[in-house]
């Protein structure tokens, strides 16, 4: 399944979460998806993303999955890296907000610490996603620049020649 479709499913599932445990479970589903997208981009994505994508693929230690496993196992392609990363960043932001709400509302110490661990993973993943989006923006900005006739390559012009 394509990355943006899986992200949309995750956003819907998070919005439909009825309990604190459901929210935590959806947070780990989102983290597993971030890892899967990172793994895919590290292998098949644009060269400038591969190092950061590898880092994204290694974030978070989630609990053992039940019989269903993570939705992320259905990932088959990332057709539009920029679009997928943008959507993933939004999902991770929504996850973070939901987890803060759960952490603030709970009296259970175990659930509180589960939320904190998931918040940390979502925050670190968000940082990686933003870094990859910046790299894509820089790459696309360089491609849009006309070649510098004095140097025969893209880039800012040289200063005045005296």
């Amino acid at each position: 399944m394509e990355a943006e479709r899986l992200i949309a499913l995750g956003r819907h599932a998070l919005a439909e979460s009825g309990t604190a445990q459901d929210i935590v479970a959806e947070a780990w589903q989102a983290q597993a998806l971030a890892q899967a997208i990172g793994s895919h981009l590290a292998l098949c994505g644009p060269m400038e993303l591969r190092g950061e994508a590898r880092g994204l693929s290694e974030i978070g230690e989630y609990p053992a999955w039940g019989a269903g496993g993570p939705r992320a196992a259905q990932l088959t392609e990332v057709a539009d890296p920029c679009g997928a990363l943008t959507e993933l960043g939004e999902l991770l932001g929504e996850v973070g907000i939901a987890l803060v709400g759960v952490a603030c509302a709970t009296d259970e110490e175990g659930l509180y610490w589960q939320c904190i661990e998931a918040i940390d993973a979502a925050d670190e993943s968000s940082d990686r996603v933003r870094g990859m989006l910046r790299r894509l923006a820089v790459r696309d900005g360089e491609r849009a620049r006309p070649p510098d006739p004095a140097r025969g390559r893209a880039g800012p012009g040289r200063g005045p020649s005296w």
Side-chain angles (χ1 to χ4, degrees):
M1 189 178 298
E2 207 283 321
E4 289 182 76
R5 185 166 176 215
L6 280 170
I7 294 166
L9 288 173
R11 291 177 84 178
H12 178 75
L14 179 64
E16 295 295 315
S17 295
T19 67
Q21 290 298 339
D22 290 343
I23 291 170
V24 172
E26 284 306 319
W28 289 116
Q29 287 280 355
Q31 186 59 40
L33 183 54
Q35 288 177 325
I37 291 171
S39 292
H40 184 84
L41 291 174
L43 293 173
C44 309
M47 290 302 293
E48 49 275 294
L49 296 185
R50 291 189 179 181
E52 198 81 31
R54 193 170 299 108
L56 178 61
S57 72
E58 298 170 352
I59 297 171
E61 290 294 324
Y62 41 84
W65 297 104
R71 274 189 301 275
Q74 299 173 41
L75 181 70
T76 57
E77 69 175 316
V78 181
D80 174 16
C82 186
L85 290 170
T86 299
E87 293 291 321
L88 180 60
E90 291 174 7
L91 171 61
L92 291 168
E94 291 168 8
V95 161
I97 290 167
L99 288 168
V100 167
V102 171
C104 290
T106 190
D107 292 329
E108 294 177 43
E109 187 175 349
L111 179 59
Y112 173 82
W113 287 110
Q114 286 177 29
C115 289
I116 297 303
E117 184 179 343
I119 289 167
D120 287 345
D123 186 49
E124 187 175 348
S125 292
S126 292
D127 288 346
R128 295 278 183 169
V129 167
R130 281 190 300 274
M132 288 190 285
L133 286 169
R134 279 191 300 272
R135 287 179 188 272
L136 286 174
V138 166
R139 178 194 72 176
D140 292 345
E142 287 175 357
R143 285 188 183 164
R145 260 190 269 186
D148 178 4
R151 294 185 179 186
R153 61 185 173 96
R158 293 167 39 166
S161 58
W162 298 325

